[in-house]
Amino acid sequence: MYNSDIYISATDASRHASCSLALELLADGFAYAVQDAQGTLLSVGRAHGRHAATMTQVMSDVKEFFASVGIPLVGYSRMTLLLTADAAVWVPKELYDPAAGRSYLRAVGGTATSLLSAESTRLNAVSLFSSDERLVTAFKVALPGIVVTNQHVAMADRLLQRAGKQHATLMLRWDRNGIDMAATKGGHYIFGNRLSFSSKEQAIYLVVEMLRAYGLADEGCEMLLCGDVDRDIFARLQPYFPTASLYTGQHTSLGNAAMKGLHTYRHALIV
């Protein structure tokens, strides 16, 4: 069962047919966002709670939650489910062979009990990764037509939307279990990775090492920071970048003045 922690509920549910619905699967529930065709953020919130033990119950809990907050589950122009992949590998689309999926993932040390794929049209590549098949299937059945993706694809696509900026850019997404990194240089995507850490000090060291290893420190690299971050993390990282800011997503406007106080950087890959 999920409990609602709504920031702003949908302003006009009748408009949902022209909207997109995005969900981010979390260890303790999920986050969600509804945007209209012009990019206006209409609804954003979180569902807290332990995921049920059975797929059938997860499906029921998802449907019950959205019914309770008045958000429909059908009729959207696009629905996406964002997953966090601990191990993933990029394969150029023209070389991708679905039958070899597990061997691609094993090449980077990943173990796939279930194998999922997500495509980046901007990179013309496929990201292969594993996730909790029970949860993913439950959400796919509860929301027919939902497209499954992961943070690597989302971060790469968001950065490449900004590729007109020729200076180097490093996007960092933090959560309780790791830090995701993605970088562009000269308008091109150069790497994406997920690293685990045991302390803030180690995490900051890893970021600085990435700056050095990829020659970003000499490129006037911009930092975009999102996820489960706080003032201390931002303050420690800021001195290593000439430009640093919180990444709050790609929405063009807010559907309600009350949204101005939202910390959308916490779930920036779905807004």
Side-chain angles (χ1 to χ4, degrees):
M1 181 177 179
Y2 302 112
N3 297 311
S4 177
D5 182 9
I6 301 177
Y7 303 136
I8 300 292
S9 58
T11 56
D12 185 355
S14 66
R15 297 172 58 189
H16 77 277
S18 63
C19 297
S20 62
L21 171 65
L23 282 72
E24 179 179 2
L25 189 60
L26 307 169
D28 57 349
F30 58 89
Y32 60 92
V34 178
Q35 297 185 67
D36 68 13
Q38 289 70 47
T40 300
L41 185 62
L42 299 178
S43 179
V44 60
R46 273 200 61 175
H48 286 282
R50 184 188 299 274
H51 298 297
T54 67
M55 186 177 74
T56 301
Q57 188 59 53
V58 173
M59 292 162 46
S60 176
D61 288 348
V62 170
K63 292 178 179 179
E64 182 179 332
F65 173 81
F66 279 110
S68 72
V69 296
I71 296 179
L73 294 182
V74 295
Y76 293 95
S77 61
R78 179 175 175 81
M79 296 187 293
T80 57
L81 175 63
L82 178 73
L83 308 177
T84 296
D86 290 329
V89 61
W90 287 108
V91 180
K93 189 175 180 180
E94 62 269 21
L95 301 177
Y96 173 55
D97 177 4
R102 282 178 168 75
S103 63
Y104 294 132
L105 199 57
R106 283 196 297 269
V108 295
T111 57
T113 53
S114 64
L115 186 68
L116 299 172
S117 64
E119 183 180 343
S120 169
T121 54
R122 292 180 183 271
L123 284 177
N124 194 31
V126 177
S127 176
L128 296 171
F129 61 103
S130 60
S131 188
D132 187 326
E133 187 173 14
R134 172 184 61 91
L135 284 177
V136 174
T137 302
F139 276 82
K140 289 174 70 174
V141 174
L143 295 94
I146 196 165
V147 175
V148 177
T149 188
N150 65 26
Q151 82 277 25
H152 301 293
V153 172
M155 292 173 74
D157 287 349
R158 296 295 179 89
L159 280 180
L160 289 172
Q161 286 177 342
R162 302 165 53 94
K165 297 185 176 182
Q166 294 298 303
H167 63 258
T169 305
L170 179 65
M171 181 181 286
L172 304 172
R173 171 182 175 264
W174 293 59
D175 62 47
R176 67 181 68 176
N177 297 314
I179 178 171
D180 296 303
M181 302 181 182
T184 57
K185 185 177 180 181
H188 301 286
Y189 179 80
I190 59 171
F191 80 89
N193 202 355
R194 179 171 174 81
L195 302 172
S196 59
F197 58 87
S198 58
S199 65
K200 286 183 181 179
E201 290 73 20
Q202 184 187 30
I204 292 166
Y205 170 79
L206 292 172
V207 172
V208 174
E209 276 297 292
M210 284 292 181
L211 287 172
R212 181 194 62 78
Y214 286 91
L216 298 175
D218 301 325
E219 295 284 332
C221 186
E222 176 186 10
M223 178 184 72
L224 299 174
L225 185 62
C226 61
D228 189 17
V229 297
D230 56 30
R231 292 178 183 272
D232 182 55
I233 292 172
F234 187 89
R236 292 195 194 192
L237 284 171
Q238 189 174 21
Y240 296 100
F241 299 87
T243 305
S245 60
L246 291 173
Y247 178 64
T248 59
Q250 61 182 357
H251 57 274
T252 57
S253 59
L254 302 174
N256 189 306
M259 287 185 174
K260 292 181 179 179
L262 294 179
H263 298 312
T264 54
Y265 63 85
R266 293 196 178 277
H267 302 288
L269 298 185
I270 61 169
V271 298

